[in-house]
DNA sequence: CTGAAAGCGCTTACAG
DNA sequence: CTGAAAGCGCTTACAG
């Protein structure tokens, strides 16, 4: 590996001078600069960022911890983060918990040991141990997707999004609305969205039936099963179903179609998340668009603010808009 | 930030000793070890990886350059890479070229300056400048998706995959088969797949009609347009169409359905890539499954081999299998 | 079993 | 305008 010393020697200057032309800091004579630049060009020298950050205490790296990489939400989020960060010369160090909660803590520590300038966490379940770790982290931090007290967060208004979706169904004349959710340990998707659904029903004095409410995980298969369970268990058949993710909704549609129900004539289906798929299933799925790229961008901006103005920035909560997409499934 | 010196002081030993317990190397008395471990536990100390790698010349980071993050292919690939790397304590430094070819070179340099232990490039277009940069890189390197001479690669057999898909169509009785491709500058998806399609037609003495061959980019919209163009320009209507990606195929299906064609009765449609969506569109899409996770895993294994046995490993090419998925669109 | 010292490749006051 | 020197937080022969 070629170092700053080699460049200095070849250019006939001290490494201090090389450093100065590299960083465009301090005075360097035009002559010296040219010689240095020529040698750099010739040798293809690139400064060792590790040595640099050992001195400067800056790494120009932001750690991102994701619950799962291969998911549309995650990749759109990372896209947004990268868009903002790349412009400022920052790189992303990616870690993937694969939905194992212990790993969130492990990776937070690891990112710290790698001296990242900041951490963006796409949170799912929040537990006390994690909160403690975040508190002790002591580097710029922002969470996406879940609210965390005293911490900067970028969130979606899950409650109102779900409520509005339920209300859309109600406006279309539905009185018997089923629900496919996920584990309420996930406060945003599991808990708040269900609350939104329930709130809408209550406000409109509609029946809230336990058998119409099922829980799945984040895949198509479990949406299929949940829909099956609802139809098998319910004494009275619902006329619409609201699923908290598009995958769940698509699974529900699969079951309904296989069982000979017509969508939306017999049962209307609504999802949430605006996955690419939602547009191309038949019938096309009514869903809720959360702007994940935007969430990534906002999170990245916040991190940048915190990095550049340490202490100045106070923790703030950004709530992002959602947008309903009406299609043929309702 | 708390350092090894602070730990040494508090534990009443030298930092050499602390280093030894940290790395489980050399002799340390049980007593000293315990004291050190206690202080580490108490303080929550994590060693600075940057300082470490400045000494050891190892960073435990592998750089990954992607043409686009928010795509199913990319995220499945990264998933596979991460699966293997995480077990060995390696992290991924992610860079995203957003399909801008100049950025591939820029990021290769950047990753080098960050002293990554290896680089995995998910290549699309290969140009001379890039090849030169790869040659000069001088760190473990593997390319995925495109063949590069004298460089380790993990590729799919795009030619035979496309050929086999065309043959499936032919076996189903189709004689007039249209094609939606992408820019041949993309050797694998653009060039080889088209060659495979053409080879199948030739072998079976089927008509090769220019107007039946259109080119799109990597999205649904351009598949729609390509299908439209084919149908408008062709004097004779094809009975099947092979698209080189699922998105293109889905776009084609959209156009066909809107225009009142029945799939597969009037026109059969086949895609490639086995996107999640392909399973849930109507009719479900016949496609080709390339195991991207597996490609990521293989690439990661190769990188690891090169890192651990420098000089020993020779450049090798891994060709991954594909698997045809027959569904209702043909 | 333990520690002093050198050194990894940089940057940055400081003195000239 | 320029350079010698110190120091960032580690590891690793080397000597004891």
């Amino acid at each position: 590996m070629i170092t700053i010393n080699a460049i200095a020697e070849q250019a006939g200057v001290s490494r201090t001078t090389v450093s100065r032309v590299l960083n465009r800091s301090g005075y360097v004579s035009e002559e010296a600069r040219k010689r240095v630049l020529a040698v750099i060009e010739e040798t293809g020298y690139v400064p060792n960022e590790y040595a640099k950050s050992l001195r400067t205490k800056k790494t120009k790296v932001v750690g991102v911890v994701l619950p799962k990489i291969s998911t549309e939400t995650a990749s759109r989020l990372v896209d947004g983060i990268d868009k903002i960060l790349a412009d400022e010369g920052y790189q992303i160090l990616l870690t993937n918990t694969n939905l194992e909660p212990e790993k969130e803590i492990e990776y937070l520590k690891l990112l710290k040991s790698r001296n990242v300038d900041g951490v963006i966490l796409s949170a799912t379940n929040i537990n006390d141990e994690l909160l403690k770790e975040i508190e002790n982290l002591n580097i710029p931090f922002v969470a996406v997707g879940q609210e965390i007290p005293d911490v900067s967060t970028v969130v979606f208004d899950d409650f109102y999004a779900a409520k509005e979706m339920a209300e859309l169904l109600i406006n279309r004349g539905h009185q018997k609305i089923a629900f496919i959710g996920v584990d309420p340990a996930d406060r945003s998707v599991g808990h708040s969205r269900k609350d939104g659904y329930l709130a809408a029903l209550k406000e409109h004095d509609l029946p809230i039936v336990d058998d119409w409410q099922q829980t799945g995980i984040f895949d198509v298969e479990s949406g299929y099963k949940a829909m099956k369970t609802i139809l098998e268990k319910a004494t009275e058949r619902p006329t619409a179903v609201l699923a908290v993710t598009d995958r769940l909704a698509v699974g529900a549609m699969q079951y309904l179609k296989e069982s000979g129900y017509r969508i939306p004539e017999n049962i209307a289906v609504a999802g949430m998340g605006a996955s690419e798929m939602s547009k191309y299933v038949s019938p096309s799925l009514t869903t809720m668009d959360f702007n994940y790229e935007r969430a990534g961008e906002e999170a990245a901006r916040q991190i940048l603010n915190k990095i550049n103005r340490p202490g100045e920035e106070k923790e703030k909560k950004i709530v992002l808009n959602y947008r309903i997409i009406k299609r043929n499934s309702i």
Side-chain angles (χ1 to χ4, degrees), chain A residues 111-123:
Chain A
L111 290 171
K112 192 175 182 178
S113 79
R114 288 196 178 278
N115 283 51
V116 294
D117 291 343
V119 171
I120 296 173
L121 169 72
S122 171

Side-chain angles (χ1 to χ4, degrees), chain A residues 81-258:
Chain A
I81 294 172
D82 184 65
K83 198 178 190 174
I84 300 299
L85 254 31
D87 286 348
E88 303 285 326
Y90 281 80
Q91 244 52 50
I92 292 175
L93 193 62
L94 204 66
T95 62
N96 172 17
T97 67
N98 248 316
L99 296 169
E100 299 164 39
E102 330 81 70
K103 286 220 168 167
E104 292 191 337
I105 292 168
E106 186 189 325
Y107 282 140
L108 247 28
K109 283 185 182 159
L110 183 131
L111 290 171
K112 192 175 182 178
S113 79
R114 288 196 178 278
N115 283 51
V116 294
D117 291 343
V119 171
I120 296 173
L121 169 72
S122 171
T124 49
N125 304 357
I126 306 288
N127 55 59
D128 284 353
E129 215 185 334
L130 180 65
L131 290 178
K132 208 181 120 206
E133 190 60 35
I134 291 171
E135 205 175 318
N136 290 335
L137 200 59
N138 228 355
I139 47 180
F141 178 90
V142 3
V144 179
Q146 304 270 340
E147 251 175 85
I148 302 181
D150 303 323
V151 164
S152 283
T153 49
V154 179
V155 293
F156 296 101
D157 200 334
D158 292 284
F159 176 86
Y160 281 104
K163 184 159 182 265
E164 201 169 297
M165 186 58 95
E167 279 164 352
L168 174 63
L169 261 11
I170 296 168
N171 287 340
R172 295 288 175 95
H174 292 285
Q175 309 254 32
K176 292 177 279 185
I177 304 175
F179 178 83
I180 302 176
V182 298
D183 185 350
D186 181 324
R187 307 270 327 152
S188 299
V189 180
H191 194 266
S192 297
R193 291 189 189 174
K194 182 163 190 177
D195 273 2
Y197 155 80
L198 292 173
L201 299 204
K202 272 186 204 131
E203 252 179 42
H204 292 264
D205 289 322
L206 297 181
I208 292 174
V209 180
D210 277 353
D211 284 347
W212 291 351
Q213 299 166 29
Q214 295 297 323
T215 298
I217 54 175
F218 286 91
D219 65 11
V220 174
E221 183 60 21
S222 71
Y224 182 100
K225 281 188 196 147
M227 192 72 244
K228 186 163 187 272
T229 308
I230 289 171
L231 258 19
E232 285 174 356
K233 281 177 84 170
T235 46
E236 199 174 7
R237 197 219 294 164
T239 64
V241 58
L242 167 55
V244 296
T245 77
D246 279 357
R247 285 187 176 168
L248 290 172
V250 169
M253 284 175 54
Q254 286 290 110
Y255 179 76
L256 291 174
K257 287 198 277 187
E258 276 181 33

Side-chain angles (χ1 to χ4, degrees), chain A residues 10-142:
Chain A
Q10 284 187 53
V13 296
S14 72
R15 58 182 202 260
T16 306
T17 301
V18 177
S19 176
R20 279 202 267 264
V21 351
L22 248 20
N23 298 298
R24 295 172 190 72
S25 67
Y27 295 100
V28 183
S29 66
E30 204 33 46
E31 207 183 348
R33 169 190 309 282
K34 270 187 191 153
R35 282 211 308 281
V36 170
L37 255 17
V39 177
I40 288 176
E41 170 70 18
E42 193 180 312
T43 54
Y45 165 71
V46 281
N48 180 329
E49 288 290 330
Y50 278 59
K52 191 170 178 173
S53 46
L54 187 57
R55 268 299 318 229
T56 61
K57 304 288 179 194
K58 291 276 168 208
T59 58
K60 289 271 184 178
V61 172
V62 167
V64 175
V65 6
L66 254 30
K68 200 145 182 37
I69 294 179
S70 58
T71 185
E72 230 177 299
T73 312
S75 61
R76 288 172 59 190
L77 185 74
V78 174
D79 231 15
I81 294 172
D82 184 65
K83 198 178 190 174
I84 300 299
L85 254 31
D87 286 348
E88 303 285 326
Y90 281 80
Q91 244 52 50
I92 292 175
L93 193 62
L94 204 66
T95 62
N96 172 17
T97 67
N98 248 316
L99 296 169
E100 299 164 39
E102 330 81 70
K103 286 220 168 167
E104 292 191 337
I105 292 168
E106 186 189 325
Y107 282 140
L108 247 28
K109 283 185 182 159
L110 183 131
L111 290 171
K112 192 175 182 178
S113 79
R114 288 196 178 278
N115 283 51
V116 294
D117 291 343
V119 171
I120 296 173
L121 169 72
S122 171
T124 49
N125 304 357
I126 306 288
N127 55 59
D128 284 353
E129 215 185 334
L130 180 65
L131 290 178
K132 208 181 120 206
E133 190 60 35
I134 291 171
E135 205 175 318
N136 290 335
L137 200 59
N138 228 355
I139 47 180
F141 178 90
V142 3

